Amino acid sequence: MRSKLQKFTEFAQSLLPHETAYLLSVQQFDDKTKLGILERADHNCRNPAQSLPYDEALDKRKYSNLKQWISERLHAADVDTAYEWLLETERQIETDSIAPAGEERLLALLRDCTPSDYHFVKYYELALRYRHFLLIRMRYAEHRAVAEFLERFQPACERSGEVREKLHRATEDIVRQYSGHGGESIQWEPWLTEVFYDETLDGWNRYMALVRLTFLYYNYRRFEPVREKYDYLDALFRQGKYYSKRLLINYYGNRLLLHSRFQEYDEAEYYGYLSVRVKTADYLHYVNNLCAVLLRRKKYPEALAVMKAALPESRGTHSFHNKIGFAAHYLRCLRHTSQYRGGENYAETYLRAYRKEIFEHRWHAFFTAFLEILLAQKNYLKISRTVEKYHLPERDRAYTGKGSYLPTIPWFQTVAAYKTHRISAEQALDDLLRPLQGLNLTPDKTLQIRELVAELQAHVPELTEAVGKALT
């Protein structure tokens, strides 16, 4: 039976915790009933597993009015909505089609604009175009007001432009190192940190500095400074600063990664589910990360449900990095829910359709998941044939320098060769131990290798004991 409040409930379910926190901070309701509804919406979006129903006995107009109030407040604070308006107004000025109401709004915004606004630079650029529009029409009073704005904020705009240019130079070093092409980027940390905390700068520059700092710290596996800066950003979002659903979703996705690094999987899962609540351009990327956390927590049915919900997006995306990552995670979900034949068929179909793209992007993740499906079926002969057909050992040797590398493929190859009597027990044990010698065994990686050893235990128990001892 359809609930009388289904539309409002669906609307409330689309809200994010930082949105409701902001709304509660700015509300001035005399009506305690409306405040109670908003507080319940806040509780529900923070605790979806303990969601409380809305009171159907209340006047439905209160829900309707509150929904309108929420939409208006969020729309007014949304920096993405503001940017769309700026672009449209720029088009109208350039095509001489701006209406009087649009001009009044622009002039009011310029009166209130400060260099710390998120899109300050775009406001300044728009004012430059509007100045020409006004002067040719001999509208001297408005032209004088805009000219005063431009003169007053010219130094701030030039400074923002210089920061943007320097951000690009920093990005070149950071991305080069992140992509494995060498070089250093730590020299940019003090300046980027200064930019991020500078409350006199525009929000776009500050946020872009944080994005680059995040990459930089991941380059050096320094996660504590990331937590400190994300906690600071968290407080800004709660105040409604730099708000948009897109930025919030990105923030939630980054917090998942951060908490995963600290092995805080409860928090990682919480933020992961928030990151997929709204389908942005990076939705599939966030789905993949959430699935990885759920698999790590052995929540296999939940992980499969998340992946199945995202199947349409996986088929339509143009990002093969995300597309193939999705396929690998989906195979792992099928394996952990004992759907071995379905997983094998899915992998073979995918390989026929996207062989070139798999090897260009995420071949290691895909083939690891594929071989795990075959190993679960004890199809050792097919493992050997697959490894040889696609020259996986040669590819794997070139992959060992990656920080996330695990010797999964050579170990599966060794187990398959041993179980099909192609090598002796002594040779198999030597082949299992050899890849451990060059690995940087961090606590997290040691845990992952122990899990891999446990997976092999069912197939070669006579060999895995010695491997386990080598990890102590």
Side-chain angles (χ1 to χ4, degrees):
M1 182 177 176
R2 182 182 175 90
S3 168
K4 295 178 181 179
L5 296 175
Q6 184 165 339
K7 283 188 177 181
F8 180 84
T9 301
E10 290 173 352
F11 170 77
Q13 287 172 344
S14 72
L15 296 174
L16 301 170
H18 286 80
E19 291 177 327
T20 53
Y22 165 67
L23 292 168
L24 285 169
S25 73
V26 298
Q27 64 80 26
Q28 296 179 331
F29 295 143
D30 293 325
D31 188 335
K32 300 303 181 184
T33 301
K34 281 187 180 179
L35 178 58
I37 298 170
L38 181 58
E39 288 174 338
R40 178 150 297 191
D42 177 64
H43 170 274
N44 288 348
C45 77
R46 294 176 188 281
N47 307 281
Q50 292 86 40
S51 182
L52 301 173
Y54 295 97
D55 188 350
E56 295 188 4
L58 296 177
D59 186 341
K60 305 304 180 290
R61 288 174 296 184
K62 291 188 182 293
Y63 289 101
S64 178
N65 292 338
L66 181 62
K67 178 181 175 182
Q68 182 177 351
W69 179 86
I70 290 172
S71 299
E72 289 173 353
R73 287 295 181 278
L74 294 180
H75 186 274
D78 192 330
V79 297
D80 285 350
T81 299
Y83 191 67
E84 291 172 5
W85 185 86
L86 289 168
L87 290 177
E88 174 58 20
T89 303
E90 181 178 48
R91 184 195 67 78
Q92 292 174 1
I93 290 172
E94 293 292 287
T95 58
D96 298 333
S97 59
I98 186 169
E103 291 192 71
E104 290 174 11
R105 180 179 176 185
L106 175 57
L107 288 166
L109 288 171
L110 293 180
R111 283 195 295 272
D112 295 334
C113 181
T114 68
S116 63
D117 285 354
Y118 192 87
H119 294 300
F120 166 70
V121 172
K122 191 62 190 176
Y123 279 113
Y124 195 90
E125 292 172 350
L126 186 58
L128 285 169
R129 286 164 173 73
Y130 189 45
R131 179 180 61 172
H132 289 287
F133 177 90
L134 293 170
L135 186 58
I136 198 66
R137 288 164 177 78
M138 294 175 284
R139 292 172 55 185
Y140 300 123
E142 294 96 331
H143 177 268
R144 186 162 50 251
V146 174
E148 289 173 355
F149 168 86
L150 292 169
E151 182 179 1
R152 182 167 71 254
F153 291 127
Q154 182 178 355
C157 187
E158 290 175 350
R159 180 180 175 230
S160 289
E162 290 167 359
V163 170
R164 286 191 180 209
E165 183 58 34
K166 197 169 180 178
L167 275 173
H168 181 70
R169 296 200 301 273
T171 306
E172 290 177 330
D173 289 343
I174 293 167
V175 171
R176 186 183 302 112
Q177 183 182 10
Y178 189 84
S179 302
H181 296 121
E184 295 289 338
S185 58
I186 194 65
Q187 67 273 17
W188 290 105
E189 182 195 10
W191 180 77
L192 288 169
T193 300
E194 180 184 343
V195 169
F196 174 63
Y197 285 119
D198 190 344
E199 296 182 358
T200 68
L201 262 177
D202 60 286
W204 188 92
N205 268 324
R206 295 180 68 190
Y207 191 81
M208 290 303 109
L210 177 62
V211 171
R212 281 138 187 83
L213 277 168
T214 302
F215 273 81
L216 184 151
Y217 288 131
Y218 275 69
N219 282 345
Y220 294 95
R221 302 188 66 78
R222 291 177 53 197
F223 304 119
E224 198 58 51
V226 184
R227 186 199 294 272
E228 172 193 320
K229 291 172 176 62
Y230 274 57
D231 287 346
Y232 177 86
L233 180 63
D234 184 277
L236 293 180
F237 280 144
R238 291 178 188 278
Q239 298 167 34
K241 292 184 178 179
Y242 309 152
Y243 157 74
S244 79
K245 277 194 184 289
R246 173 183 62 88
L247 294 178
L248 273 180
I249 293 297
N250 178 252
Y251 166 75
Y252 295 146
N254 284 328
R255 290 225 65 141
L256 173 149
L257 296 175
L258 177 62
H259 288 293
S260 295
R261 297 294 183 180
F262 285 103
Q263 299 181 27
E264 298 167 352
Y265 296 118
D266 283 344
E267 293 87 345
E269 180 180 336
Y270 172 76
Y271 283 108
Y273 273 111
L274 286 177
S275 73
V276 301
R277 191 175 290 184
V278 178
K279 293 183 179 180
T280 66
D282 296 314
Y283 171 70
L284 206 62
H285 171 67
Y286 301 139
V287 163
N288 287 340
N289 290 339
L290 172 58
C291 181
V293 169
L294 293 172
L295 289 172
R296 174 64 65 89
R297 306 195 75 193
K298 296 181 170 53
K299 293 188 173 184
Y300 304 130
E302 293 90 336
L304 182 59
V306 167
M307 300 306 277
K308 283 186 173 180
L311 274 170
E313 284 72 24
S314 76
R315 298 186 184 106
T317 183
H318 295 293
S319 169
F320 278 100
H321 180 84
N322 289 332
K323 192 183 194 80
I324 295 161
F326 179 92
H329 284 306
Y330 190 56
L331 287 172
R332 294 176 66 202
C333 289
L334 293 175
R335 173 173 71 89
H336 284 299
T337 53
S338 303
Q339 300 179 59
Y340 305 130
R341 287 297 301 164
E344 182 179 348
N345 291 337
Y346 180 85
E348 290 178 337
T349 300
Y350 214 89
L351 189 51
R352 283 195 297 271
Y354 299 112
R355 174 174 175 170
K356 175 175 175 289
E357 290 80 5
I358 287 170
F359 283 112
E360 284 180 351
H361 295 272
R362 305 189 70 178
W363 69 269
H364 197 274
F366 178 85
F367 276 101
T368 295
F370 185 15
L371 295 180
E372 286 175 342
I373 288 276
L374 298 178
L375 184 69
Q377 299 178 85
K378 299 183 178 181
N379 196 340
Y380 308 117
L381 183 59
K382 191 165 185 177
I383 290 174
S384 295
R385 288 175 176 171
T386 301
V387 166
E388 292 167 5
K389 178 179 179 180
Y390 295 105
H391 309 290
L392 298 187
E394 294 88 337
R395 296 178 186 275
D396 188 83
R397 282 192 287 274
Y399 199 78
T400 55
K402 297 280 187 179
S404 60
Y405 175 78
L406 295 174
T408 311
I409 290 175
W411 277 10
F412 285 4
Q413 180 189 25
T414 296
V415 169
Y418 173 64
K419 296 297 285 186
T420 54
H421 310 292
R422 296 168 66 186
I423 59 173
S424 66
E426 293 77 9
Q427 180 64 54
L429 181 58
D430 184 61
D431 289 346
L432 290 174
L433 292 173
R434 190 183 309 111
L436 296 177
Q437 297 172 5
L439 288 181
N440 178 24
L441 292 177
T442 62
D444 186 52
K445 181 165 286 190
T446 300
L447 176 62
Q448 290 177 279
I449 293 177
R450 289 191 184 281
E451 291 173 351
L452 183 55
V453 171
E455 187 177 346
L456 300 180
Q457 176 76 25
H459 304 272
V460 286
E462 66 275 25
L463 302 178
T464 51
E465 183 179 354
V467 178
K469 288 180 179 179
L471 293 171
T472 59

